[in-house]
């Protein structure tokens, strides 16, 4: 994926992204050097319109989502198929060091989180990136669904686990200005 296309995604240049993909449909499936897809960059950048556009383009191209994309978009049907075919996907790491559980907790749905946990994802898995955090940190820092947090806690997530810098999940919730943090942690 070119830096120019990545920059368009990150800045939310929706029309420019659409034009670029129309000119070169392969861009919808592009990945950066770490293997992170254009779709994941749209999700990471909080670009919902671009995420939805890329999902439509991928569907039109009959391109299957990988486990990380399926987890982050809450596509439990696709995620279940992947886990049926390769149970180890529940514990695999994306090129940028996140597990599918981290991504489901941060961006996906409680249903995707529950599916991953029932299929072998480790609730205490630590990301292999500078954050060195667990899914509960991701859920509280980036997620917006208290049910996700409840599911993680009910499955043994440690509310006192420390990520890089010594931050606990509660600190992640406070830093993200989570107003529901008292009801879930």
């Amino acid at each position: 994926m070119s830096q120019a296309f990545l920059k368009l995604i990150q800045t939310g240049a929706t029309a420019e992204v659409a034009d670029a993909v129309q000119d070169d449909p392969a861009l919808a499936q592009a990945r950066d050097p770490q293997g992170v897809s254009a779709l994941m960059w749209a999700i990471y950048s909080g670009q919902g319109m671009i995420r939805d556009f890329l999902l439509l383009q991928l569907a039109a191209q009959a391109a299957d989502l990988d486990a990380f994309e399926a987890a982050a978009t809450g596509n439990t049907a696709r995620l279940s198929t992947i886990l049926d075919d390769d149970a180890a996907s529940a514990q695999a790491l994306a090129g940028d060091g996140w597990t599918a559980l981290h991504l489901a907790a941060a961006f996906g749905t409680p249903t995707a989180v529950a599916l991953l946990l029932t299929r072998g994802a480790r609730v205490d898995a630590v990301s292999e990136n500078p954050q060195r955090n667990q899914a509960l940190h991701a859920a509280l820092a980036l997620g917006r669904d208290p049910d996700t947090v409840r599911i993680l806690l009910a499955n043994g997530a440690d509310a006192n686990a420390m990520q890089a810098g010594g931050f606990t999940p509660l600190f992640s919730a406070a830093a993200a200005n989570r107003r529901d943090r008292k009801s879930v942690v």
Side-chain angles (χ1 to χ4, degrees):
M1 171 175 7
S2 75
Q3 286 293 346
F5 186 63
L6 177 57
K7 191 64 148 177
L8 292 175
I9 293 169
Q10 291 174 319
T11 60
T14 308
E16 291 86 349
V17 167
D19 289 345
V21 171
Q22 183 177 8
D23 292 345
D24 182 2
L27 286 173
Q29 297 182 51
R31 293 183 179 268
D32 72 9
Q34 290 180 291
V36 180
S37 68
L39 174 62
M40 288 306 302
W41 273 111
I43 292 168
Y44 289 156
S45 301
Q47 301 299 337
M49 287 179 59
I50 295 173
R51 175 203 61 217
D52 293 347
F53 170 76
L54 291 172
L55 282 169
L56 288 171
Q57 294 304 306
L58 292 169
Q61 296 175 18
D64 288 330
L65 300 180
D66 66 24
F68 309 108
E69 294 165 332
T73 59
N75 186 334
T76 55
R78 175 66 184 142
L79 187 56
S80 185
T81 299
I82 292 167
L83 295 170
D84 287 345
D85 292 343
D86 180 15
S89 294
Q91 296 181 36
L93 291 170
D96 57 1
W98 298 108
T99 68
L101 183 60
H102 280 86
L103 295 167
F107 307 109
T109 63
T111 307
V113 169
L115 174 63
L116 284 159
L117 288 168
T118 62
R119 300 292 286 277
R122 291 187 39 228
V123 75
D124 63 345
V126 175
S127 63
E128 291 190 14
N129 55 33
Q131 287 80 20
R132 304 282 306 151
N133 64 8
Q134 295 181 15
L136 184 59
H137 293 96
L140 287 165
L142 300 168
R144 295 289 174 248
D145 195 319
D147 288 337
T148 292
V149 176
R150 286 185 190 96
I151 292 167
L152 291 168
L153 290 169
N155 282 275
D158 182 357
N160 295 309
M162 290 196 192
Q163 71 175 56
F167 301 116
T168 65
L170 186 58
F171 182 86
S172 297
N177 198 27
R178 289 287 300 264
R179 301 206 188 282
D180 61 344
R181 64 187 169 274
K182 291 180 186 174
S183 66
V184 293
V185 177

